[in-house]
Amino acid sequence: MKEMTIYLQGLTCANCAGKIEVAVNKMKETKEAQINLVKQEMHISLQENATEDVVFDKVKKTVHKYEPEVEVTTQKKVQPHTHDCCCCGADGCHAHTHDAHEEHGDIKKTVCRFVIGILFFVAANLIEGMWQVPLFLVAYLIFGYDVLWRAIKNIAKGQVFDENFLMSLSTIGAMAIDEMPEAVFVMLFYQVGEAFQDYAVKRSRKSITSLMDIRPDYANLIDENGNVTQVAPEYIKKGDKIQVKAGEKIPLDGVVTSGWAMLDTVALTGEAVPRRVDIGSPVLSGCINQDGLLQIEVTKPFGESTVMKILELVENAAGKKSKTEKFITRFARVYTPTVVVLAVLLAFIPPLLGYGMLSVWFGRALMFLVVSCPCALVLSVPLSYFAGIGAASKNGILVKGGNYLDALCHTDCIVFDKTGTLTKGEFAVTKMEGDETMLTLVAAGEAMSNHPIAKAIVAKYTQTTNQMPQDVSDYKEKGGFGILYQVDGKQMAVGNNRLMEEMGIAYQKYDGMGSVVYVAADNQYLGYLVVDDTLKENCKEALQNLKKYGIKELVMLSGDRKETAERIGHTLGIDRIYAELLPQDKVTKLEEILKKQNPKSRTAFVGDGINDAPVLAGADVGIAMGAIGSDAAIEAADVVLMDDDIAKLQVGLRIAKNTRKIVLQNIIFALGVKVIMLLLIAIGMSTMWLAVFADVGVAVLAICNAMRKK
């Protein structure tokens, strides 16, 4: 599929973005276009015969039709700029301002404007005579000059039925029938509503973009002579050494080579308890050094560091829309023109049928149009998901998009991997049937593997002998069975019962608890080692709490022995347990579970993210546990829990369900008020003031609802 990305520098208005997205999607050269407002990007899937140059030119014309000041390029700029939005006029058009001083200045200007306008309005109401009308006009222009100017500009571009035109027409109409106070007050109320709306949207955007603060601004590079130079993190290479002082962010992933410190990891994991690191400890970019002086050897370049992966994930999350968001976008396309047609009919049909004067019904039609704007839905629904993703990120839960937040909300079955997810994954040899010679032979082969069981056996050997295992040859790993290799002239077979049976080796079956590793040399059985794992703290309580959030069934998939898996599963209250599964068997078993589920339900899989990538990708919602710094987890999972706390699952479910609840509240509230107001207007029981409230007031209330704590 041919794709291209176009950068829209300065586009920060949700309303304008929606119009541009619709227009580009209608182009014959495009299959699908989607705008990511956080990154100010448009991703376009092209038709086979489309050329990028033609599409770019058409997109540029479309963007400038709605937003003439937006810079349209194919190259990403470092610093976005902001401007006054042509459709709503808000400074930076609801964008969060990068310069706090400039933002403070904008607030002062707005307050001064309102104070001066209100003074003229009050004076006009107190003074009678020839000065009253001029004072009302001055107050009206103070409050409405920008609305009038935008209405004129938009009409010139062919955009007639927008809020600016409707507000201008209705207030000028009020002045024409000698209702000056109403005209001024309606414009004042409209501008107050816009100011609150702008503030609400800025706050909502900051709930997630505040995470960008974890991006380090500099790194202290140590050169060959031991001199320290402050440079941009992008210039640091793998293997370079950097210095991190107390109070500084760790700029790149690495390993501590000198010093010790307590690290604040809250920005990455949501965990408030500091973590101690010393020589040999791995450290991740984005953490804050609280009290020590560290020297770190960099293990990943800046572009591949944990902090950059997280920032990329969060930025992309806004572009993955839920079904509800897509529905609202489609609904707005039909809703607005439908109401405009109804307004025209309302203006002319009743007078033609003899039910009153044209001027009366024309006034009602104007109010009808004011109420018709779908801003409350177009803004509040995406912002609800936006705020939900932000709330999750503050708790160390990274959700890759509103669609996954929705899927999490409808999840009623959670499938767990066992090792590293429900258990600590810290294995130790608890029993050994055989002599030290057998341990020496086994450790030699297991030293070639990174599996937790293999590491436990090697640790047992080194602790017992204070020696490192010897080298082996002809090493082969059989997934789900074990390993084959040669050492000291012996052909070794080390693995589970399936390996022994496949090779026809008679062995003594172990029936106790734990994972058993059978050992054979030259097809002769030597003995076995038992390696066991321990459950994570509060794991049982955390799993049972999931039932409160609509989880009906808990399932465990394990490659471990049936006895061990069932013991752990029954201890935790798991409903269904599948054991002795090969990696491919886990995928097959998950597919079976997905086929049997209710069409409206969703199934999540929770794994450690390292060797569970195929299953994570296959589930409705893939959740990676303890995946901080894991490339495989961040790539394969839809939701990433940044630490090892399984209790974060219930936090994620709570946020998902609360977000969904707020979205439904906003939809019902906004549509309900508008339907009631449209009926009241049609029968003559409403005023322009109420019409403005039904538009701006409802939008502000819906957006404030979207912002509230999840």
Side-chain angles (χ1 to χ4, degrees):
M1 184 184 294
K2 294 170 63 177
E3 295 183 345
M4 68 181 296
T5 300
I6 295 177
Y7 300 95
L8 310 174
Q9 297 295 129
L11 177 64
T12 48
C13 172
N15 193 22
C16 295
K19 292 176 183 177
I20 293 167
E21 202 173 79
V22 170
V24 175
N25 271 305
K26 288 181 178 178
M27 289 165 48
K28 64 180 182 180
E29 293 87 357
T30 63
K31 289 182 179 178
E32 184 182 16
Q34 198 168 77
I35 290 177
N36 184 334
L37 270 181
V38 179
K39 298 183 75 174
Q40 296 182 333
E41 295 176 359
M42 177 187 287
H43 300 283
I44 306 174
S45 299
L46 305 178
Q47 299 288 354
E48 291 300 324
N49 57 350
T51 59
E52 292 190 3
D53 289 342
V54 171
V55 172
F56 176 77
D57 289 339
K58 286 192 173 184
V59 169
K60 189 172 183 179
K61 288 178 183 177
T62 302
V63 172
H64 287 163
K65 176 182 177 182
Y66 297 98
E67 285 279 29
E69 310 229 2
V70 168
E71 184 180 353
V72 184
T73 66
T74 54
Q75 299 294 323
K76 191 170 185 178
K77 299 291 182 69
V78 178
Q79 274 291 349
H81 63 274
T82 58
H83 64 282
D84 288 352
C85 171
C86 66
C87 72
C88 62
D91 291 338
C93 187
H94 306 162
H96 71 285
T97 309
H98 295 282
D99 188 338
H101 179 71
E102 184 180 331
E103 182 176 355
H104 182 66
D106 291 339
I107 293 172
K108 287 175 67 176
K109 288 178 185 176
T110 303
V111 171
C112 288
R113 177 183 179 183
F114 280 126
V115 170
I116 294 170
I118 290 170
L119 288 174
F120 275 98
F121 182 54
V122 171
N125 280 288
L126 295 176
I127 296 174
E128 294 184 2
M130 61 179 293
W131 290 104
Q132 189 175 48
V133 172
L135 288 172
F136 273 128
L137 281 173
V138 171
Y140 176 79
L141 290 173
I142 289 173
F143 292 131
Y145 72 89
D146 50 349
V147 175
L148 295 170
W149 177 238
R150 287 196 302 272
I152 294 168
K153 286 199 301 182
N154 291 347
I155 290 170
K157 292 187 291 182
Q159 299 178 55
V160 178
F161 292 108
D162 65 355
E163 279 190 300
N164 302 294
F165 173 76
L166 298 175
M167 287 301 303
S168 301
L169 187 60
S170 59
T171 52
I172 290 172
M175 287 190 289
I177 57 175
D178 204 26
E179 291 289 345
M180 292 290 290
E182 182 176 283
V184 177
F185 188 82
V186 166
M187 191 62 80
L188 166 62
F189 186 67
Y190 175 76
Q191 291 287 26
V192 170
E194 285 293 295
F196 273 107
Q197 183 174 296
D198 183 51
Y199 172 74
V201 177
K202 285 180 179 179
R203 281 281 308 275
S204 184
R205 287 174 63 87
K206 284 179 180 178
S207 73
I208 189 169
T209 53
S210 61
L211 187 65
M212 302 306 163
D213 290 340
I214 68 174
R215 189 188 193 281
D217 299 316
Y218 62 89
N220 300 315
L221 177 64
I222 303 174
D223 63 20
E224 296 176 354
N225 300 319
N227 299 319
V228 179
T229 309
Q230 198 172 96
V231 299
E234 291 87 347
Y235 293 109
I236 304 293
K237 301 186 297 295
K238 180 180 177 180
D240 285 349
K241 291 189 177 180
I242 58 174
Q243 184 185 84
V244 181
K245 303 172 185 175
E248 291 183 333
K249 292 188 187 79
I250 296 177
L252 300 100
D253 296 358
V255 176
V256 177
T257 58
S258 174
W260 69 271
M262 300 299 289
L263 297 187
D264 178 356
T265 65
V266 68
L268 301 185
T269 67
E271 176 56 56
V273 179
R275 181 169 68 92
R276 179 189 168 98
V277 294
D278 47 30
I279 295 174
S281 298
V283 292
L284 300 170
S285 52
C287 297
I288 298 174
N289 179 3
Q290 289 189 329
D291 55 7
L293 180 64
L294 298 177
Q295 184 171 304
I296 297 169
E297 182 175 333
V298 175
T299 55
K300 290 181 182 178
F302 185 63
E304 298 174 14
S305 64
T306 299
V307 70
M308 290 307 294
K309 286 184 214 162
I310 292 171
L311 294 181
E312 188 70 21
L313 188 154
V314 173
E315 287 177 337
N316 288 332
K320 295 178 181 176
K321 297 180 180 178
S322 67
K323 288 183 179 179
T324 309
E325 290 176 88
K326 291 178 180 178
F327 166 75
I328 291 299
T329 302
R330 292 195 299 270
F331 175 79
R333 295 178 203 169
V334 178
Y335 168 80
T336 304
T338 300
V339 175
V340 169
V341 171
L342 290 175
V344 173
L345 295 175
L346 185 66
F348 296 105
I349 298 298
L352 290 174
L353 296 177
Y355 290 103
M357 297 176 62
L358 177 63
S359 59
V360 173
W361 288 101
F362 187 73
R364 292 180 187 180
L366 288 178
M367 289 187 280
F368 210 80
L369 290 174
V370 169
V371 174
S372 71
C373 182
C375 281
L377 293 173
V378 172
L379 289 174
S380 70
V381 171
L383 285 173
S384 297
Y385 286 104
F386 205 54
I389 293 169
S393 68
K394 288 181 179 178
N395 284 278
I397 306 167
L398 298 184
V399 183
K400 288 190 176 180
N403 51 339
Y404 300 120
L405 207 60
D406 246 6
L408 199 59
C409 175
H410 292 100
T411 296
D412 63 7
C413 174
I414 300 183
V415 182
F416 294 91
D417 173 50
K418 180 179 73 69
T419 305
T421 303
L422 300 175
T423 62
K424 292 181 179 179
E426 297 173 359
F427 289 89
V429 176
T430 57
K431 187 176 181 181
M432 186 175 76
E433 187 70 34
D435 56 21
E436 289 189 8
T437 302
M438 182 192 78
L439 179 61
T440 301
L441 296 172
V442 174
E446 297 290 13
M448 304 291 291
S449 173
N450 285 321
H451 194 281
I453 290 177
K455 291 181 178 180
I457 293 172
V458 173
K460 171 74 173 176
Y461 173 75
T462 54
Q463 289 166 9
T464 304
T465 64
N466 290 321
Q467 296 178 359
M468 295 299 293
Q470 57 187 301
D471 294 333
V472 302
S473 60
D474 295 334
Y475 177 88
K476 294 177 183 176
E477 191 167 329
K478 292 175 64 68
F481 288 82
I483 56 175
L484 303 172
Y485 57 94
Q486 284 193 358
V487 62
D488 276 348
K490 295 181 174 63
Q491 179 62 47
M492 301 296 299
V494 178
N496 56 26
N497 60 316
R498 288 194 291 263
L499 181 63
M500 297 294 108
E501 289 165 4
E502 184 185 75
M503 299 188 68
I505 299 171
Y507 67 99
Q508 179 187 343
K509 190 172 183 180
Y510 172 73
D511 292 322
M513 298 300 177
S515 299
V516 61
V517 177
Y518 297 104
V519 184
D522 295 328
N523 289 329
Q524 296 297 314
Y525 177 68
L526 297 183
Y528 63 82
L529 298 97
V530 178
V531 179
D532 209 355
D533 196 2
T534 54
L535 291 173
K536 291 181 178 177
E537 290 85 356
N538 303 319
C539 186
K540 182 176 181 179
E541 182 184 357
L543 292 188
Q544 295 311 307
N545 285 339
L546 295 176
K547 303 282 187 177
K548 300 176 185 177
Y549 296 96
I551 304 302
K552 298 175 182 176
E553 189 174 37
L554 302 175
V555 182
M556 184 174 78
L557 305 182
S558 175
D560 211 340
R561 296 167 59 245
K562 184 178 180 181
E563 295 82 359
T564 303
E566 288 184 344
R567 172 176 62 87
I568 290 174
H570 291 149
T571 301
L572 294 173
I574 302 288
D575 300 301
R576 280 194 282 164
I577 302 159
Y578 299 98
E580 299 182 0
L581 299 175
L582 299 174
Q584 61 268 30
D585 295 334
K586 290 185 179 182
V587 177
T588 304
K589 190 60 66 177
L590 178 67
E591 289 173 351
E592 291 176 8
I593 294 169
L594 292 173
K595 285 178 184 177
K596 293 177 183 178
Q597 74 179 6
N598 186 310
K600 293 183 179 180
S601 300
R602 296 292 179 266
T603 296
F605 177 81
V606 185
D608 59 14
I610 299 171
N611 53 6
D612 291 320
V615 203
L616 284 167
D620 293 324
V621 187
I623 304 174
M625 277 283 301
I628 193 162
S630 168
D631 295 341
I634 291 179
E635 288 297 323
D638 307 313
V639 178
V640 181
L641 307 185
M642 297 306 291
D643 59 15
D644 253 340
D645 187 3
I646 204 163
K648 289 287 178 70
L649 282 173
Q650 66 192 56
V651 177
L653 286 169
R654 172 178 58 78
I655 290 171
K657 290 184 179 296
N658 286 347
T659 299
R660 179 71 176 174
K661 188 188 302 180
I662 289 170
V663 167
L664 292 176
Q665 287 172 352
N666 282 342
I667 291 173
I668 294 169
F669 172 66
L671 289 180
V673 170
K674 285 182 182 293
V675 169
I676 292 170
M677 285 302 305
L678 291 174
L679 291 173
L680 291 175
I681 290 167
I683 61 177
M685 293 181 64
S686 180
T687 65
M688 184 62 74
W689 297 13
L690 281 175
V692 174
F693 170 77
D695 176 29
V696 181
V698 168
V700 171
L701 292 175
I703 290 170
C704 290
N705 190 40
M707 288 171 57
R708 67 188 175 91
K709 189 175 180 181
K710 306 292 191 295

